[in-house]
Amino acid sequence: MGAGDVKLMSMMGFCMGVRNVLTAVAVAVAVAALMGLMQTLRAGGIWARLRYLWEYLRLLAVNVRLGNPALPDYHRENARGGERVHFAVALFVGGIVTMGGYI
């Protein structure tokens, strides 16, 4: 999520109100998770991503055990491109769902 997404959420809050924007953001998080899963499945890298997640969590546990609060670095050397999910699209869907009365 970048600075543009934060600005978009603030404008949505101005137009929709706090309660509706919180609902829209919750829907947007679910939509973005679904978009990310679909992208990963389409690229065929689900097992590579799960192995990387496992290794990342292992390094995080080692850091915590050693008393180092820093997060391990995120390496993108095997990135195939197209890994990003545009959260503005998910926010748009969340806003439409919320204002359309579907939730």
Side-chain angles (χ1 to χ4, degrees):
M1 185 165 65
D5 298 322
V6 174
K7 293 171 192 168
L8 178 60
M9 282 187 284
S10 68
M11 287 308 297
M12 287 173 67
F14 177 75
C15 296
M16 297 169 58
V18 174
R19 180 178 224 159
N20 286 335
V21 80
L22 290 176
T23 304
V25 168
V27 171
V29 168
V31 169
L34 185 62
M35 288 169 52
L37 180 62
M38 289 187 329
Q39 241 178 351
T40 304
L41 289 172
R42 181 178 48 95
I46 189 77
W47 294 115
R49 298 306 302 164
L50 287 174
R51 278 193 305 273
Y52 182 79
L53 174 64
W54 179 257
E55 181 64 21
Y56 187 84
L57 292 174
R58 188 189 67 75
L59 288 173
L60 181 62
V62 167
N63 279 356
V64 168
R65 191 174 31 216
L66 295 176
N68 182 6
L71 293 174
D73 290 334
Y74 179 77
H75 300 290
R76 297 177 61 110
E77 67 268 1
N78 293 331
R80 298 182 202 179
E83 288 184 342
R84 295 181 184 215
V85 173
H86 297 286
F87 197 63
V89 175
L91 283 171
F92 174 74
V93 172
I96 294 297
V97 167
T98 302
M99 295 309 293
Y102 299 110
I103 287 189

